[in-house]
């Protein structure tokens, strides 16, 4: 749908705007009807890409901000997607990258991102229940997923749009993006075995989270097939604070000096493992290998001999934003789902 106005006419009309701009202002400048302007700003599929770009540029140039109360009154929607996250997430590798990529994917859409935190001593259901019952967002994105996650069941029962960073036992029924942690565990153990390692320590994510079980399963299977010993930490996880991981590694290597490799589930736990190994007088890459996954290519700058696989959290955030928007707009469509294979190439 093309406008009959020239670029010069549009620029002149834009420069002449005074007062608070409205949809009618954009319609007058563009030469398009108010309903067309509204649909373009709401990313309607029947409006052409060039028309959307023109309308959004005019809206940006004149400082148009939609009246959210009015939008909600007309459509029943908030144009908000909420990313619900624990305050204890690993800021170095995942949280900042995930927030940035979700926000970036929503940038040229009618949707805005809000981050809803919850605290370690808080029931994770509380923020989800609040958002659903108050209608303060149109969709929710979750992470730290459990196999039988009550938050997911709650939203599925209420047909509330959502997407998860991770899979539940009901993953076939809902949108998700997940990293194949079982493959990560398998590849990490296989590569360590190929380097001659025979006693591997795995510091996995918290055991109640689904991706921890996947990682343990992959590493355990590879260790069994390779005929080597695998010890899975039952005291600390890769989400524990660094001093706790350091102390655990020192204690474990002291009690079991045969350990010659450590697999960890996060960047910070990898750094903590290195600190513990070096405290014991051992060298990473020689006496003891460290194998980790990371969202930002940082670890090799810290210690060049750390072995890594990439987790492309930026792609995850973009996919989850699109999956949440589809769940809002077309709830009867098959849910968007993606499983990322571990890669040697960081994004």
């Amino acid at each position: 749908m093309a406008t009959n106005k020239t670029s010069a006419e549009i620029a002149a009309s834009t420069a002449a705007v005074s007062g608070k701009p409205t949809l009618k202002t954009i319609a007058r400048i563009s030469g398009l009807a108010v309903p067309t302007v509204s649909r373009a700003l709401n990313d309607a599929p029947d409006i052409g890409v060039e028309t959307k770009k023109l309308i959004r540029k005019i809206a940006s140039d004149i400082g148009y901000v939609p009246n959210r109360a009015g939008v909600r009154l007309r459509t029943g929607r908030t144009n908000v997607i909420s990313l619900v996250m624990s305050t204890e997430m690993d800021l170095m590798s995942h949280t900042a990258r995930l927030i940035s990529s979700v926000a970036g994917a929503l940038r040229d859409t009618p949707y805005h991102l809000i981050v809803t935190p919850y605290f370690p001593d808080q029931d994770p259901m509380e923020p989800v229940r609040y958002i659903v019952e108050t209608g303060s967002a149109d969709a929710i994105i979750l992470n730290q997923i459990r196999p039988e996650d009550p938050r997911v069941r709650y939203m599925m029962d209420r047909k509330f749009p959502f997407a998860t960073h991770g899979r539940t036992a009901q993953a076939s029924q809902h949108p998700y993006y997940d990293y194949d942690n079982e493959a990560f565990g398998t590849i990490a153990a296989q590569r360590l075995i190929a380097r001659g390692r025979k006693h591997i320590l795995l510091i996995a994510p918290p055991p109640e989270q689904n991706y921890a079980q996947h990682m343990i399963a992959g590493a355990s299977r590879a260790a069994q097939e390779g005929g080597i010993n695998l010890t899975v930490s039952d005291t600390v996880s890769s989400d524990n604070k660094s001093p706790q991981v350091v102390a655990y590694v020192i204690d474990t290597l002291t009690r079991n000096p045969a350990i010659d490799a450590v697999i960890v589930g996060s960047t910070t736990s990898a750094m903590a493992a290195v600190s513990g190994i070096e405290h014991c007088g051992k060298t990473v890459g020689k006496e003891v290998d460290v194998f980790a996954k990371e969202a930002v290519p940082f670890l090799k700058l810290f210690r060049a001999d750390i072995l890594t696989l990439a987790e492309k959290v930026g792609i995850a955030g973009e996919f989850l934003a699109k999956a949440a928007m589809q769940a809002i707009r077309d709830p009867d469509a098959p849910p968007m789902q993606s499983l990322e294979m571990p890669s040697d190439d960081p994004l």
Side-chain angles (χ1 to χ4, degrees):
M1 188 175 300
T3 177
N4 57 6
K5 287 198 170 186
T6 67
S7 298
E9 289 174 327
I10 290 174
S13 298
T14 299
V17 170
S18 61
K20 183 178 180 180
T22 66
L23 289 176
K24 289 183 179 179
T25 311
I26 300 174
R28 175 174 54 78
I29 293 171
S30 65
L32 298 171
V34 170
T36 302
V37 170
S38 177
R39 292 179 62 74
L41 289 173
N42 282 284
D43 203 27
D46 59 333
I47 303 296
V49 173
E50 292 305 315
T51 299
K52 290 177 183 177
K53 286 182 179 178
L54 172 65
I55 295 302
R56 288 170 183 159
K57 183 178 187 309
I58 294 171
S60 175
D61 288 346
I62 66 176
Y64 170 76
V65 178
N67 183 317
R68 294 211 168 275
V71 169
R72 186 164 185 173
L73 188 62
R74 291 194 309 272
T75 67
R77 292 181 179 173
T78 62
N79 283 357
V80 167
I81 292 176
S82 179
L83 179 58
V84 177
M85 308 186 79
S86 167
T87 58
E88 283 200 326
M89 287 304 292
D90 180 6
L91 289 173
M92 178 176 295
S93 57
H94 285 82
T95 305
R97 195 78 179 268
L98 188 62
I99 293 171
S100 175
S101 58
V102 172
L106 298 178
R107 182 175 180 179
D108 291 324
T109 76
Y111 295 96
H112 295 262
L113 176 68
I114 61 171
V115 178
T116 304
Y118 62 91
F119 297 92
D121 60 349
Q122 185 180 7
D123 181 356
M125 274 294 300
E126 285 185 24
V128 172
R129 189 180 293 114
Y130 175 84
I131 292 167
V132 173
E133 292 183 358
T134 62
S136 52
D138 296 332
I140 291 173
I141 297 174
L142 293 174
N143 64 356
Q144 292 189 309
I145 303 301
R146 300 186 178 194
E148 297 292 340
D149 200 305
R151 303 170 299 173
V152 170
R153 175 52 60 190
Y154 173 82
M155 290 186 290
M156 289 177 66
D157 288 346
R158 285 155 182 78
K159 301 186 184 306
F160 190 87
F162 70 95
T164 61
H165 190 196
R167 288 168 288 168
T168 67
Q170 297 81 35
S172 63
Q173 303 173 47
H174 66 77
Y176 69 80
Y177 185 99
D178 200 7
Y179 180 81
D180 194 336
N181 283 280
E182 185 167 349
F184 167 79
T186 300
I187 294 169
Q190 287 175 341
R191 291 190 181 180
L192 290 169
I193 291 169
R195 289 172 60 85
R197 303 309 187 184
K198 298 184 182 300
H199 300 274
I200 300 175
L201 171 65
L202 171 60
I203 303 176
E208 68 274 9
Q209 294 175 22
N210 219 16
Y211 75 118
Q213 299 304 320
H214 292 157
M215 190 181 297
I216 292 168
S220 298
R221 183 173 59 252
Q224 184 176 15
E225 292 173 353
I228 59 99
N229 294 319
L230 177 72
T231 300
V232 180
S233 169
D234 59 1
T235 305
V236 301
S237 77
S238 58
D239 281 8
N240 275 95
K241 295 184 183 302
S242 293
Q244 295 171 305
V245 177
V246 172
Y248 171 78
V249 170
I250 292 172
D251 179 66
T252 304
L253 264 62
T254 301
R255 289 186 293 103
N256 187 359
I259 287 176
D260 52 14
V262 183
I263 300 173
V264 292
S266 73
T267 301
T268 51
S269 60
M271 295 170 65
V274 169
S275 179
I277 291 166
E278 293 178 344
H279 181 88
C280 293
K282 299 187 178 185
T283 303
V284 172
K286 293 183 179 179
E287 291 94 346
V288 184
D289 278 325
V290 173
F291 206 114
K293 61 174 182 171
E294 58 179 351
V296 179
F298 168 82
L299 285 174
K300 286 189 177 297
L301 299 176
F302 173 64
R303 293 291 186 278
D305 291 316
I306 296 177
L307 307 171
T308 64
L309 287 172
E311 180 175 6
K312 299 175 181 177
V313 177
I315 292 177
E318 181 178 348
F319 185 94
L320 289 167
K322 292 177 179 177
M325 287 189 287
Q326 178 182 282
I328 295 167
R329 294 167 173 167
D330 193 359
D332 296 325
M336 289 178 62
Q337 300 170 341
S338 182
L339 183 63
E340 175 192 338
M341 287 298 297
S343 169
D344 288 307
D345 300 319
L347 185 66

